[in-house]
Amino acid sequence: MTSEAWLPRITAIFRSYDLDGDGQLGRDDLIAYAGRIAENLTDPGDTRRRAALYDVYAELWTQLAAVSDTDRGGRISEQEFVAATARGAFDADPHFRDSTLRALDCLADALDRDGDGTIDPAEYERIFGATGLDRDTSALAFETVDADGDGRITRAELRAAAVHLYPLADPAWLTGDTAPAGGPRGIALVAHDTRKADLLAWTERRAAELGRHRLYGTGTTGTLINRKLGLPVIPLRSGPLGGDQQIGALVTSGDIDLLIFFYDPLSAHPHGDDVRALIRLAALANIPIALNAATADALIASVGAQIPGQSAAPVPASQASSDVSSEASVPA
């Protein structure tokens, strides 16, 4: 899909979310948007549908921010929103896919006032007032969305039209049963104090590949990577102050796909129990773990190979052997 085709639609979606018109999206905007939908599509006493809408749009904000809030300022500009769509970041992120599907289910549930599992023309007409999108959008006309022409819109047909409701460059992944194999991954970047310089050097060398993914960093490590390399890192607390446990929670929730932890095996750590718990959780969740530069190179290269159009930078043999020889092994 060319930018000429989707750009007006994406800006329209952004501006429909931006209810106060300040050119920035925040969590409060998505909550207000959920309120607008609830007001237009549900009865005042329908607490179940209303609560579901508020919950799902709060969740959707989290996924929008993770993908497009590149400066980690807690707000998303229209430029960031459009840029994330242009690089296919929303389409490729399985977490955003799941959130979008839940939002669509809530929207369909609110539209289906008689509860028969489908949406008739009168029920569907209310979608325009609820979303703020233009009634003249031909791709959202009832006759277009009702692909089989039976006079009812199913959830599957609504999903096919969802590219016009959410910031997607290509709706194909949304209508399938599974998310695509490639796409941005959640990568946790952690280092003990004596290894922060090593991790920073490795991150700088792999900045091109890492910039395609969703990065999480604990304490000083995340701040250094963001300030010195300009990579967007979702900040967490310092490891000894709970950052390792935050990473563990993200592993458990499925938000972390790779754990890169430059571990110091020669020093005692007052939060050693937290470190061991984190590694245990990652192992149980079958999350790949890199404790040194050589392993981190192998993991980021394997992830890069799964993303269409991305080729991981080859690691010179001399560099790889140097990395291996410079890293101490972790005791069992």
Side-chain angles (χ1 to χ4, degrees), residues 31-284:
I31 296 299
Y33 187 78
R36 172 179 181 160
I37 292 177
E39 184 68 24
N40 280 274
L41 298 186
T42 66
D43 295 325
D46 192 349
T47 55
R48 180 186 66 81
R49 285 188 174 91
R50 289 193 168 213
L53 285 165
Y54 281 110
D55 287 346
V56 79
Y57 275 92
E59 176 187 341
L60 194 65
W61 158 253
T62 299
Q63 302 307 329
L64 284 171
V67 170
S68 58
D69 182 17
T70 53
D71 63 4
R72 299 305 165 203
R75 311 285 288 178
I76 302 170
S77 68
E78 185 170 323
Q79 182 179 6
E80 288 175 320
F81 195 78
V82 170
T85 307
R87 64 177 185 268
F90 296 117
D91 305 54
D93 189 328
H95 302 291
F96 184 78
R97 177 185 190 271
D98 291 343
S99 295
T100 302
L101 290 176
R102 281 190 282 274
L104 278 170
D105 285 344
C106 285
L107 182 61
D109 192 31
L111 286 167
D112 181 18
R113 296 295 290 271
D114 60 13
D116 68 351
T118 62
I119 302 164
D120 64 32
E123 290 172 331
Y124 183 76
E125 176 67 18
R126 298 177 303 132
I127 197 172
F128 296 101
T131 61
L133 295 177
D134 193 339
R135 291 173 183 268
D136 294 331
T137 304
S138 59
L140 286 177
F142 184 90
E143 296 76 14
T144 303
V145 180
D146 178 23
D148 60 9
D150 67 351
R152 316 286 295 184
I153 291 175
T154 64
R155 292 194 178 198
E157 289 172 331
L158 187 62
R159 284 186 179 187
V163 69
H164 295 276
L165 301 172
Y166 298 96
L168 309 171
D170 182 358
W173 62 271
L174 193 62
T175 55
D177 293 329
T178 58
R185 305 299 179 90
I187 301 178
L189 301 170
V190 189
H192 282 144
D193 287 344
T194 55
R195 303 299 311 284
K196 291 191 189 304
D198 294 335
L199 179 60
L200 189 63
W202 178 83
T203 303
E204 182 174 16
R205 181 158 56 83
R206 289 295 193 174
E209 293 105 324
L210 290 170
R212 298 171 181 255
H213 299 282
R214 190 174 59 255
L215 306 179
Y216 299 86
T218 55
T220 307
T221 302
T223 301
L224 282 172
I225 292 170
N226 181 262
R227 289 180 180 175
K228 294 193 174 184
L229 304 180
L231 288 174
V233 179
I234 298 171
L236 303 173
R237 301 192 71 180
S238 170
L241 298 179
D244 294 332
Q245 293 177 331
Q246 286 181 302
I247 294 282
L250 291 166
V251 167
T252 303
S253 65
D255 291 303
I256 299 295
D257 301 292
L258 298 176
L259 172 60
I260 296 175
F261 193 151
F262 276 33
Y263 177 90
D264 177 3
L266 302 178
S267 303
H269 306 287
H271 63 302
D273 289 342
D274 293 340
V275 173
R276 286 186 288 273
L278 172 56
I279 293 175
R280 173 179 172 276
L281 281 172
L284 288 172

Side-chain angles (χ1 to χ4, degrees), residues 311-324:
S311 57
V315 182
S318 59
Q319 178 65 55
S321 61
S322 171
D323 288 339
V324 172

